Amino acid sequence: MHGRPPPPDLVIRPETGDDDDAVEAIYRVAFGPGRYSRTAYRLREGIAHDPRVSFVADRSGLVIGAIRQTAVMVGGRPAYLLGPLAVAETAAKQGIGRTLLTRSIEAAAATMADALVLVGDPAFYTPSGFEQVWDEIVMPGPVERHRLMQRPMRGRVSGRLLADPWPEVAPEPLAPREAPAAT
């Protein structure tokens, strides 16, 4: 881990459905109402983040930070779209964001993801193994190309990014209902 160590009373735990309101409040303050117009946010609309690689920072039962990842395909290969990552303003500059990022990367390593992809600040993400990819990945909307990054896990990905879940995380199809027995 790079930077300062997290506070000793911090707990990093998997995000649950009960955390949704607190997480959304953190994102609302961190990214503002304009976040929904950004390409990465639009890609995530209607697609659930993967709970295996999405975490919250909890201090004394209060959610003060969160990171999510959503399964996507890049050039036909499985990847995660990492983010959003945010920490409450009152808990900023304490190593919490870096700790969330590290835990999320570790969890993603246990999946079939070839890489993690994000649109973010190179100064923050480069120390964790992310590299700028400029034109290697084609997003389905406008992005600041210098902020488009990937962290290879099993290999580099390139090509068009599609908001398609991989078979490993796709929901199970509903079983056909049996017709009632004739009486």
Side-chain angles (χ1 to χ4, degrees):
M1 183 179 350
H2 306 278
R4 85 174 24 178
D9 60 343
L10 186 72
V11 174
I12 303 296
R13 62 173 175 75
E15 181 184 344
T16 70
D18 292 340
D19 298 318
D20 197 54
D21 289 342
V23 170
E24 288 302 323
I26 290 169
Y27 290 159
R28 186 173 38 257
V29 171
F31 302 111
R35 68 190 180 277
Y36 296 110
S37 65
R38 296 180 183 160
T39 298
Y41 261 91
R42 286 196 323 264
L43 276 166
R44 295 182 193 106
E45 286 178 359
I47 300 174
H49 56 277
D50 187 339
R52 298 175 304 165
V53 293
S54 299
F55 297 91
V56 296
D58 181 311
R59 180 184 281 155
S60 303
L62 182 65
V63 173
I64 58 172
I67 187 169
R68 290 178 171 168
Q69 293 196 63
T70 304
V72 296
M73 297 294 284
V74 178
R77 296 176 61 193
Y80 279 115
L81 179 60
L82 189 142
L85 165 61
V87 175
E89 289 177 313
T90 57
K93 308 290 185 210
Q94 297 178 26
I96 297 168
R98 179 82 49 209
T99 302
L100 282 164
L101 178 60
T102 299
R103 180 65 187 101
S104 193
I105 291 169
E106 290 168 353
T111 71
M112 64 184 273
D114 284 336
L116 309 180
V117 177
L118 62 85
V119 179
D121 179 14
F124 179 80
Y125 289 102
T126 299
S128 295
F130 287 86
E131 306 164 356
Q132 292 172 290
V133 293
W134 298 88
D135 294 323
E136 291 175 47
I137 296 173
V138 179
M139 297 287 281
V143 296
E144 296 175 75
R145 304 304 303 167
H146 71 282
R147 295 172 52 88
L148 184 56
M149 305 182 77
Q150 79 167 284
R151 183 185 193 283
M153 304 296 283
R154 290 180 167 64
R156 294 183 66 80
V157 294
S158 63
R160 184 167 302 283
L161 188 147
L162 300 173
D164 291 336
W166 343 313
E168 178 182 308
V169 295
E172 291 292 321
L174 295 174
R177 297 180 77 182
E178 291 185 31
T183 56

